[in-house]
Amino acid sequence: DAGITQSPRHKVTETGTPVTLRCHQTENHRYMYWYRQDPGHGLRLIHYSYGVKDTDKGEVSDGYSVSRSKTEDFLLTLESATSSQTSVYFCAAALTGQGTTEAFFGQGTRLTVV
Amino acid sequence: ILNVEQSPQSLHVQEGDSTNFTCSFPSSNFYALHWYRWETAKSPEALFVMTLNGDEKKKGRISATLNTKEGYSYLYIKGSQPEDSATYLCAFGPDDKIIFGKGTRLHILP
C-alpha cells in the first residue's frame, strides 16, 4: 500500500478557518496527488506534485493550496474553509509520472466545515 | 477539460453471471489507463495499468482491454461473486495527472 498515511482522519472545523491535511508516504514515490470525493462526482483532482517543491493545479484547485518540502510529505491547505469544502479527501502516490504506474491511496480524511 | 466517462453508472448482476462495463477517454495525449476497485469504507486499489494499444490484462476472473486509437477500455468480470460488489473506477493519465471517471457501482444479487 506504499505506506501512505493521512492525518487527521476526521476533522470538524468552522467556516473561515484555515485547515491543513497531511499525507505521508514511506516508499519514496515521486508523484503525489490530492483528491476530493463527493457524491455524484467520484474522485476529483485538487493538486498534484511531481517532485519536491514541484506542484501543479488539478481540476478543482480554487480555495486550496499545497506544499511539498520533502519527498515523503504532501500538505493540503484550505486557506479559509467553506461549507462547500466538506468532503472526504484522499491522498495518493505513484512511483512514475504520466500515470504509467498505479497510484496507492491513503485511508482518506473526512472533513466537515460547519 | 479532460473527461473520463464510465458507463453504466450502476449495475445489478445476478451472482454467477458475467458482466462488463466501459470507460472512454481522450485518445490524444494518451499515456496510461488504470482500473481500480473501490469497496465501501476502504481506499481504491489498483487492478490494472495499461499503456499500449491492444493491451489485455487479467487477474483471476477480472480482465480488461484497451483501445487507445478510439479511446475506450472494457472491464470484464466472469462469474460474478458477492465479493465483486464494489465501485470500479477508470482513470486516465495525461501528462503527470491521474484523472478519474465517476465509476461504475456494481451490485451482485444473490
Side-chain angles (χ1 to χ4, degrees), chain A residues 4-5 9 12 17-18 24 26 28 34 37 41 47 59 71 80 82-83 87-88 90 99 102 107 111:
Chain A
I4 299 175
T5 54
R9 294 293 311 280
V12 180
T17 60
H24 179 78
T26 59
N28 206 35
W34 276 108
Q37 179 210 356
H41 290 280
H47 281 280
E59 306 163 277
T71 297
S80 177
T82 67
S83 58
S87 187
V88 180
F90 282 94
E102 66 184 281
Q107 323 94 301
L111 176 68

Coordinates of all heavy atoms in Angstrom, one line a residue, chain A residues 4-5 9 12 17-18 24 26 28 34 37 41 47 59 71 80 82-83 87-88 90 99 102 107 111:
Chain A
I4 N 1.1 4.8 2.9 CA 0.5 6.2 2.8 C -0.4 6.4 4.0 O -1.4 5.6 4.2 CB -0.2 6.4 1.5 CG1 0.8 6.2 0.4 CG2 -0.8 7.8 1.5 CD1 0.2 6.3 -1.0
T5 N -0.1 7.4 4.8 CA -1.0 7.7 5.9 C -1.4 9.1 5.8 O -0.6 10.0 5.5 CB -0.3 7.4 7.3 OG1 1.0 8.2 7.3 CG2 0.0 6.0 7.5
R9 N -7.7 11.8 10.4 CA -8.6 11.0 9.7 C -10.0 11.7 9.7 O -10.8 11.5 8.8 CB -8.7 9.6 10.4 CG -7.4 8.8 10.3 CD -7.2 8.4 8.9 NE -8.3 7.8 8.2 CZ -8.7 6.5 8.4 NH1 -8.1 5.7 9.2 NH2 -9.8 6.1 7.7
V12 N -13.5 18.3 12.2 CA -14.6 19.3 12.1 C -14.1 20.7 12.3 O -13.3 20.9 13.3 CB -15.8 19.0 13.1 CG1 -16.9 20.0 13.0 CG2 -16.3 17.6 12.9
T17 N -11.9 29.3 8.9 CA -10.6 28.9 9.5 C -9.8 28.2 8.5 O -10.3 27.5 7.6 CB -10.8 28.0 10.7 OG1 -11.5 26.8 10.3 CG2 -11.7 28.7 11.8
P18 N -8.4 28.3 8.6 CA -7.5 27.5 7.8 C -7.4 26.1 8.3 O -7.5 25.9 9.5 CB -6.2 28.3 7.9 CG -6.3 29.0 9.2 CD -7.7 29.3 9.5
H24 N 1.5 11.4 4.3 CA 2.9 11.0 4.5 C 3.1 9.6 3.8 O 2.3 8.7 4.0 CB 3.2 10.9 6.0 CG 4.5 10.4 6.3 ND1 5.6 11.2 6.2 CD2 5.0 9.2 6.7 CE1 6.7 10.5 6.6 NE2 6.3 9.2 6.9
T26 N 6.0 6.4 2.7 CA 7.3 5.9 3.1 C 8.1 5.2 2.0 O 9.1 4.6 2.3 CB 7.1 4.9 4.3 OG1 6.2 3.8 3.8 CG2 6.5 5.6 5.5
N28 N 9.1 6.5 -1.0 CA 9.9 7.3 -1.9 C 9.2 7.5 -3.3 O 9.9 7.7 -4.3 CB 11.3 6.7 -2.1 CG 12.3 7.8 -2.5 OD1 12.2 8.9 -2.0 ND2 13.3 7.4 -3.3
W34 N -3.7 14.9 -4.4 CA -4.8 15.2 -3.5 C -6.1 15.1 -4.3 O -6.2 15.9 -5.3 CB -4.7 16.5 -2.8 CG -3.8 16.4 -1.6 CD1 -2.6 17.0 -1.4 CD2 -4.2 15.8 -0.3 NE1 -2.2 16.7 -0.1 CE2 -3.1 16.0 0.6 CE3 -5.3 15.1 0.1 CZ2 -3.1 15.6 1.9 CZ3 -5.3 14.7 1.4 CH2 -4.2 14.9 2.3
Q37 N -13.6 13.5 -2.7 CA -14.6 12.6 -3.1 C -16.0 13.1 -2.7 O -16.2 13.4 -1.5 CB -14.5 11.2 -2.5 CG -15.6 10.2 -2.8 CD -15.9 9.2 -1.8 OE1 -15.2 9.1 -0.7 NE2 -16.8 8.4 -2.0
H41 N -19.7 12.8 -8.0 CA -18.6 13.4 -8.7 C -17.4 12.4 -8.7 O -16.4 12.7 -9.4 CB -18.1 14.7 -8.0 CG -19.1 15.8 -8.2 ND1 -19.1 16.5 -9.4 CD2 -20.1 16.3 -7.5 CE1 -20.1 17.4 -9.3 NE2 -20.7 17.3 -8.2
H47 N -4.8 19.1 -6.5 CA -3.5 19.5 -6.8 C -2.7 18.2 -6.9 O -3.0 17.1 -6.3 CB -2.9 20.3 -5.7 CG -3.3 21.8 -5.8 ND1 -2.7 22.7 -6.6 CD2 -4.2 22.4 -5.0 CE1 -3.3 23.9 -6.4 NE2 -4.2 23.8 -5.4
E59 N -8.2 19.7 -11.2 CA -9.5 20.1 -11.8 C -10.2 21.1 -10.9 O -11.0 21.9 -11.3 CB -10.4 18.9 -11.9 CG -9.8 17.8 -12.8 CD -10.6 16.5 -12.5 OE1 -10.3 15.8 -11.5 OE2 -11.5 16.1 -13.4
T71 N 10.1 14.7 0.1 CA 9.5 13.7 -0.8 C 8.4 13.0 -0.1 O 7.4 12.7 -0.7 CB 10.6 12.6 -1.2 OG1 11.6 13.2 -1.9 CG2 10.0 11.5 -2.0
S80 N -9.2 29.2 3.7 CA -10.3 29.7 4.5 C -11.5 28.8 4.3 O -12.2 28.9 3.3 CB -10.7 31.2 4.1 OG -11.8 31.6 4.9
T82 N -14.7 26.6 3.7 CA -16.1 26.9 3.4 C -16.9 25.6 3.4 O -16.4 24.5 3.3 CB -16.3 27.5 2.0 OG1 -16.0 26.6 1.0 CG2 -15.4 28.8 1.8
S83 N -18.2 25.7 3.6 CA -19.1 24.6 3.7 C -19.0 23.7 2.4 O -19.2 22.5 2.5 CB -20.5 24.9 4.0 OG -21.0 25.8 2.9
S87 N -16.1 17.3 2.6 CA -15.8 16.3 1.7 C -14.9 15.2 2.4 O -14.5 15.4 3.5 CB -15.1 16.8 0.4 OG -15.0 15.8 -0.6
V88 N -14.7 14.1 1.6 CA -13.7 13.2 2.0 C -12.5 13.4 1.1 O -12.6 13.4 -0.1 CB -14.2 11.7 1.9 CG1 -13.1 10.8 2.3 CG2 -15.4 11.5 2.8
F90 N -8.7 12.3 -0.3 CA -7.8 11.2 -0.4 C -6.5 11.7 -1.0 O -6.5 12.5 -1.9 CB -8.4 10.1 -1.4 CG -9.4 9.3 -0.8 CD1 -10.8 9.6 -0.9 CD2 -9.1 8.1 -0.1 CE1 -11.8 8.8 -0.3 CE2 -10.1 7.3 0.5 CZ -11.4 7.7 0.4
G99 N 1.1 8.7 -15.3 CA 0.1 7.7 -15.0 C 0.6 6.3 -15.3 O -0.2 5.4 -15.4
E102 N 0.7 2.4 -11.1 CA -0.5 2.5 -10.3 C -0.4 3.6 -9.2 O 0.8 3.8 -8.7 CB -0.9 1.2 -9.7 CG 0.1 0.7 -8.7 CD -0.3 -0.7 -8.2 OE1 -1.2 -0.8 -7.3 OE2 0.3 -1.7 -8.6
Q107 N -6.0 6.4 3.5 CA -7.3 5.9 4.1 C -8.3 7.0 3.9 O -9.5 6.7 4.2 CB -7.1 5.6 5.5 CG -5.8 4.9 5.9 CD -4.8 5.9 6.4 OE1 -4.4 6.8 5.7 NE2 -4.3 5.7 7.6
L111 N -13.6 15.6 6.3 CA -13.6 17.0 6.7 C -15.0 17.5 6.7 O -15.7 17.5 5.7 CB -12.7 17.8 5.9 CG -12.6 19.3 6.2 CD1 -12.0 19.5 7.6 CD2 -11.9 20.1 5.2

